[in-house]
Amino acid sequence: MRQRLQDYCSAIVHTIQSLGSSLRVTGRYLFRKVQRSSPVGIETAGYFTAAQGDITLAYPHQAFPIPARGRYKLHNAIEDCIVCDRCAQICPVDCIDIVPIRSPVPIGKTSQGVPKQIYAAKFTIDMAQCCFCGLCTTVCPTDCLTMTAAYDFSTFDLIEHCVNFSTMTPEQIDEKTEIWAAHVAAAPTPP
């Protein structure tokens, strides 16, 4: 019985010593954190070799500076899109959905002067499926598909991650589809 009591008391002493040691380490980090007032970004020289660093921030009131060349949320400048479908073809997870409608006449030009002849009846990117690889932005011939600096776009509903960039109404889609069908029907058949 006496041995059990000694083991019990030594376990309590060991626990108190261990707790004191860990509180000293935590206290040192807390004191260092209180002394530094602004977050340091990953692009700062010596970020990985710094002896003291942030453990966490009071997000969203504070945030780490983000790298300029990061791969974040996709954006499509639909007025510059020629609906070439290259981005949807190269996407490894098929998160880009495009429904094109051809036009018998040119419908305008992009900001770079590239002629447009296809309407985007649907141009949807499902950001919940996107793996942020950036392949779609590299194959875009008009550079209308880009990755923005917006990295926090969390929502409570997955359907909100499905971003539609097309501006056509259902009536416009029906009208343009009928125009193209009439053009195809009026075209001479090859002999």
Side-chain angles (χ1 to χ4, degrees), residues 100-106 117-119 172-187:
I101 300 175
R102 294 194 173 274
S103 173
V105 294
Q117 197 148 351
I118 304 175
Y119 293 101
Q172 289 174 327
I173 293 171
D174 292 340
E175 175 190 349
K176 304 303 179 189
T177 305
E178 289 173 9
I179 290 171
W180 179 249
H183 174 74
V184 170

Side-chain angles (χ1 to χ4, degrees), residues 37-51:
S37 61
S38 63
V40 177
I42 196 168
E43 293 177 338
T44 306
Y47 175 81
F48 292 104
T49 58

Side-chain angles (χ1 to χ4, degrees), residues 36-119:
R36 186 165 63 195
S37 61
S38 63
V40 177
I42 196 168
E43 293 177 338
T44 306
Y47 175 81
F48 292 104
T49 58
Q52 55 186 346
D54 288 328
I55 298 167
T56 187
L57 291 174
Y59 185 80
H61 307 293
Q62 286 182 317
F64 285 114
I66 57 172
R69 292 186 227 170
R71 293 188 294 214
Y72 307 111
K73 188 174 184 179
L74 286 168
H75 174 72
N76 185 18
I78 197 70
E79 61 276 356
D80 282 343
C81 183
I82 59 172
V83 196
C84 64
D85 200 34
R86 290 181 187 175
C87 53
Q89 292 173 1
I90 201 165
C91 182
V93 292
D94 295 329
C95 69
I96 301 174
D97 188 18
I98 300 174
V99 176
I101 300 175
R102 294 194 173 274
S103 173
V105 294
I107 57 175
K109 292 188 177 194
T110 66
S111 61
Q112 297 174 346
V114 178
K116 294 173 63 171
Q117 197 148 351
I118 304 175
Y119 293 101

Side-chain angles (χ1 to χ4, degrees), residues 129-148:
Q129 291 181 349
C130 182
C131 64
F132 304 98
C133 62
L135 291 173
C136 56
T137 61
T138 59
V139 298
C140 184
T142 59
D143 295 328
C144 66
L145 194 59
T146 57
M147 292 191 132
T148 65

